[in-house]
């Protein structure tokens, strides 16, 4: 291989081993019929799931079909704004692009009447006091700030009810 | 037409480390491939086809890297296949390669898997915000930590089980010159006192970010016989299986996923194994967070559900136990993500060949290699043995 001859002004300069090149990907997201209905419901402060006609499980947010039975889920079910923490973790790790303030409690919350937990933020409680089975309620953004996104629920907080028994959520962990 | 017997006759890997600043991705995969060829006593010209795998392209930001790596892997003018099954990809890639031989399509196949995490931003790539959802995602640890908590709660496992696994794997890694982490002064307390990154997962119970590659040369029965004739100790493939399941469905058990159960049952059936705890001598399983060892012991049918942690506590999975797990130090000691599954398959083969060096289990005749990926939803496994099937 031929020897690379650098101009005088570059001699003695530390060689470049790598460069950082940020990548970005912009895309249009089409929510689809079922999720659009759900998001429009959120904009009215309602949580709408869909029930599978075969296994009777309620999906929220609905995707329009049951992944187990492969059939459309057309029956709409309105859910309450309370639920159970099926499990959770306390995130304490900093990384590039992170949007949340540390530490935060990331919880899987099974909304009452549904069969698949959603991941959301848990606040107004010390991380040490969070536990599986804890009963929680949604805290919404002010009415004039509600948009068709799950971010319209600012977070969940304990609602003071006694813990849900393990058997009531053990299939949804 | 009968199924061709398949042998592993060449194994190569790089010295896994945080930053391989001296080589490009191409140089790194070629290094592993050259070592596998040397071990197989073959040259590039002897290879009929190449099968390559890695984790998502978005990690390093090189789309379809197999196209540019064809040159470095001697694949110009030869069939080349790319496999992609998230973290399990190293295992799935080896299985695709073995299928090409077992089916009689090719006689000698080179298979390679890699990741160069230093040129990548994996935490970010795994935490992309989802539309209309709060930006809660925090990498693989943030995804798996709640399921680990559920396991701890449900099985009644004491907190120190995760610490014991981390300590065991990191100490095993001291016997493996290729391992990324060599923490000679690690102790129970140093693991226990390390930072809670994703409570209940501590820093020292978490895999590192590594640069590295792994390669295997697989041949038909004649190739395996030739290897045996020159004292090369081929590893014979006795079974391979894949399974996958959706990320989300009502009633999904993420602690003990059905896909992993079914995959294990299938690979044992192929290998004629009815009591895996007794009939398998050594296991290399994909454990990126220490708690996955007891969880996978149950999922892979080595014990009853809820009992995996007792095997850990009783020392069964240590190198001097009756079911040694991750003698190489495992994913907890080296994690070039795309290569990590193939490393499990390779380490299983090294054990039955008697080529595992200081971390060899004496007399190992039959071994399981295991990989998983995605949200505990993609599974790949093989059973290899010193004897022909
Ligand atoms: Zn259904």
């Amino acid at each position: 291989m031929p020897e690379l001859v650098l101009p005088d002004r570059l001699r003695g300069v530390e060689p470049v081993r790598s460069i950082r090149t940020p990548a970005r990907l912009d895309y249009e997201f089409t929510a689809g019929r079922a999720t659009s209905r759900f998001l429009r419901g959120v904009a009215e402060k309602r949580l709408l799931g869909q029930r599978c006609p075969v296994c009777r499980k309620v999906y929220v947010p609905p995707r329009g079909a049951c992944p187990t039975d492969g059939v459309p889920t057309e029956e709409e079910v309105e859910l309450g704004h309370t639920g159970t923490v099926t499990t959770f973790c306390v995130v304490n790790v900093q990384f590039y692009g992170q949007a949340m303030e540390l530490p935060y409690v990331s919880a899987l919350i099974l909304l009452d009447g549904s069969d698949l937990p959603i991941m959301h933020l848990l606040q107004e409680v010390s991380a040490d006091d969070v536990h599986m089975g804890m009963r929680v309620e949604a805290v919404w953004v002010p009415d004039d700030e509600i948009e068709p996104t799950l971010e319209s629920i600012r977070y969940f907080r304990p609602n003071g009810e006694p813990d849900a028994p393990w058997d009531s959520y053990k299939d949804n962990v | 037409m009968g199924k061709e017997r398949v042998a592993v006759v060449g194994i190569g890997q790089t010295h896994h480390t945080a930053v391989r600043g001296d080589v490009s991705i191409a140089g790194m995969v070629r290094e592993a491939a050259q070592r596998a060829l040397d071990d197989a006593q073959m040259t590039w010209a002897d290879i009929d086809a190449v099968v390559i795998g890695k984790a998502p392209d978005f990690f390093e930001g090189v789309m379809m890297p197999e196209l540019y790596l064809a040159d470095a892997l001697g694949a110009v003018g030869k069939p080349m296949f790319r496999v992609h099954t998230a973290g399990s990809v190293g295992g799935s890639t080896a299985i695709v390669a073995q299928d090409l031989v077992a089916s009689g399509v090719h006689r000698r196949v080179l298979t390679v898997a890699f990741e160069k995490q230093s040129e990548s931003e994996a935490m970010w790539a795994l935490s992309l915000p989802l539309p209309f959802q709060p930006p809660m995602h925090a990498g693989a640890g943030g995804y798996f930590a709640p399921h680990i908590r559920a396991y701890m709660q449900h099985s009644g496992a004491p907190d120190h089980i995760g610490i014991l696994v981390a300590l065991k794997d990191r100490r095993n890694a001291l016997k493996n010159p290729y391992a990324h982490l060599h923490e000679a002064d690690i102790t129970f307390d140093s693991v226990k006192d390390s930072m809670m990154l994703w409570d209940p997962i501590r820093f020292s119970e978490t895999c590192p970010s590594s640069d590295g590659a792994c390669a295997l040369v697989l041949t038909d029965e004649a190739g395996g016989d030739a290897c045996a004739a020159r004292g090369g100790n081929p590893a014979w493939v006795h079974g391979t299986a894949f399974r996958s399941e959706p990320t989300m469905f009502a009633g999904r058990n993420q602690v003990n996923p059905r896909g992993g159960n079914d995959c294990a049952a299938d690979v044992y059936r192929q290998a004629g194994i009815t009591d895996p705890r007794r009939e398998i001598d050594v296991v290399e399983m994909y454990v990126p967070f220490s708690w996955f060892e007891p969880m996978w012991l149950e999922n892979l049918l080595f014990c009853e559900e809820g009992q995996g942690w007792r095997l850990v506590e009783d020392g069964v999975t240590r190198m001097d136990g009756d079911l040694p797990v991750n003698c190489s130090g495992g994913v907890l000691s080296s994690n070039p993500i795309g290569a990590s599954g193939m490393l499990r398959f390779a380490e299983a083969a090294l054990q039955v060949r008697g080529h595992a060096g200081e971390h060899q289990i004496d007399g190992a005749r039959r071994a399981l290699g295991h990989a998983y990926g995605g949200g505990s939803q993609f599974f790949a496994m093989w059973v290899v043995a010193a004897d022909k099937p």
Side-chain angles (χ1 to χ4, degrees), chain A residues 35-46:
Chain A
T35 306
S36 294
R37 268 194 76 72
F38 169 76
L39 292 169
R40 289 196 189 99
V42 169
E44 297 169 359
K45 238 169 145 167
R46 300 169 71 203

Side-chain angles (χ1 to χ4, degrees), chain A residues 17 20 29 39 59 67 87-93 95-96 100 104 115-116 120-121 148-151 166 171 173, chain B residues 21 121 123-124 127 131-138 145-146 149-150 154 195-199 248-251:
Chain A
R17 289 202 168 274
R20 195 177 177 91
F29 178 82
L39 292 169
Y59 280 86
T87 184
F88 66 97
C89 79
V90 187
V91 179
N92 208 12
V93 59
F95 61 92
Y96 178 78
M100 305 286 296
Y104 63 91
D115 292 289
L116 192 71
H120 217 297
L121 189 63
T149 162
L150 265 177
E151 291 185 85
W166 166 248
D171 293 333
V173 174
Chain B
E121 200 72 71
M123 262 300 274
W124 168 78
S127 310
F132 312 112
Q133 305 255 347
M136 307 276 304
H137 291 274
R149 182 184 303 280
H154 185 39
M195 187 181 173
M196 278 290 187
L197 295 183
W198 302 271
D199 192 339
M248 288 192 284
F249 59 90

Side-chain angles (χ1 to χ4, degrees), chain A residues 52 55 66 69:
Chain A
C52 170
C55 65
C66 173
D69 299 298

